[in-house]
Amino acid sequence: MATVTQAARAGRRPALGPHLSRKRKLFWPFAAPALALYLAFLVLPTVATVVLSFTSWSGAGDTPRPQGVGNYVRMWQSDAFRYAFGNTLVYVFLGGVGTFLLAFLFTMVLRDMRGGKVVRAILFFPNIVAPVALGMFLGFVFKYQPGKQGLANYVLEHLGADAAKFLAPENVTGVVTASLIWASSGFYITILMAAVDQIPPHLYEDADLGGASPWQKFRSITLPLTWDVVGVAGVLWTINALKIFELVFVLAGPGTYAPPNRAWTLGIYVFDRTFGSNGTPDFGAACACAVAMIALVSILVVLLRRLMRRDAIQF
């Protein structure tokens, strides 16, 4: 310790022990492959996307032509993009509120329930199903065809109600939002319950002795002591909701190509412009929307982290 202090006072770097010196020599051989992959598959494609968003390019057979901000101007003036942008925000905010309300409700119930771990595993099950398969199943449930109604309309008709066109373009956003809440809540229940399991049981025992209700225990114990985990879960939801594609594509699509514009998300907008449902593919427009998605997710994540920031609680 004296040698380190003397070296610091003299303005020299203190000598490292042999063990720490060997660890530092091993840092770059282990870190370099990961950094190279990160650069090749994330940083460079992102930079290329930004560059291409200012060009006009069909993807093959010609070279990109500069367009300035023309792609962005046309994108914001497009009705398809407005629908895609609005639907995506609905999934982020309305779907997020519904998912976390359901997750918090089950968190309050499962903590004291016998067999809670089994119920937790059952609730998690929809997350292991591929979104395409989930969309096909929900399509069967909500299908509306004369004489070939899905399960939901079959139940409605036997209850004396009229069959509903759940998958009509004007209704599909609500159906997808409800489906996302049902399918995603188990994942966030699992995350929140993992945090709840770390809370010392004596805190709940003291609250029981004081006559606290389940809501008071949740508000005063569970939520404050899992706040950091809730923030991380909120970031995960925001990123996943902005990327939603398969579920909407399968539920709202005609089975051959992209669904009607009113059901689009930003991911479907990028897909449509990339593969050219209206003729020649337009990679410049697709990249412009991709850049808008990157900007939107960055803004929302930064705002969410700032809103959720607080001093750490020790327990």
Side-chain angles (χ1 to χ4, degrees), residues 199-268:
I199 299 176
H202 68 81
L203 297 177
Y204 291 104
E205 294 170 0
D206 293 344
D208 289 331
L209 292 175
S213 65
W215 164 248
Q216 289 173 325
K217 288 188 286 186
F218 173 78
R219 184 185 62 187
S220 302
I221 300 175
T222 305
L223 188 59
L225 295 182
T226 59
W227 189 252
D228 293 336
V229 177
V230 172
V232 173
V235 171
L236 291 176
W237 168 264
T238 301
I239 296 172
N240 291 329
L242 280 169
K243 296 189 300 183
I244 182 172
F245 173 80
E246 301 98 324
L247 187 59
V248 179
F249 192 88
V250 174
L251 273 179
T256 55
Y257 205 73
N261 289 353
R262 294 191 63 174
W264 279 17
T265 63
L266 292 177
I268 294 177

Side-chain angles (χ1 to χ4, degrees), residues 246-298:
E246 301 98 324
L247 187 59
V248 179
F249 192 88
V250 174
L251 273 179
T256 55
Y257 205 73
N261 289 353
R262 294 191 63 174
W264 279 17
T265 63
L266 292 177
I268 294 177
Y269 185 95
V270 172
F271 170 84
D272 180 80
R273 293 300 183 264
T274 302
F275 293 100
S277 63
N278 297 319
T280 304
D282 190 348
F283 275 71
C287 289
C289 185
V291 171
M293 292 177 67
I294 295 172
L296 181 60
V297 72
S298 300

Side-chain angles (χ1 to χ4, degrees), residues 76 85 89 92-93 235 238-239 242 291-307:
W76 286 104
F85 189 78
L89 291 183
V92 171
F93 292 105
V235 171
T238 301
I239 296 172
L242 280 169
V291 171
M293 292 177 67
I294 295 172
L296 181 60
V297 72
S298 300
I299 292 170
L300 291 178
V301 168
V302 169
L303 289 177
L304 184 62
R305 295 302 294 168
R306 286 185 175 274
L307 289 174

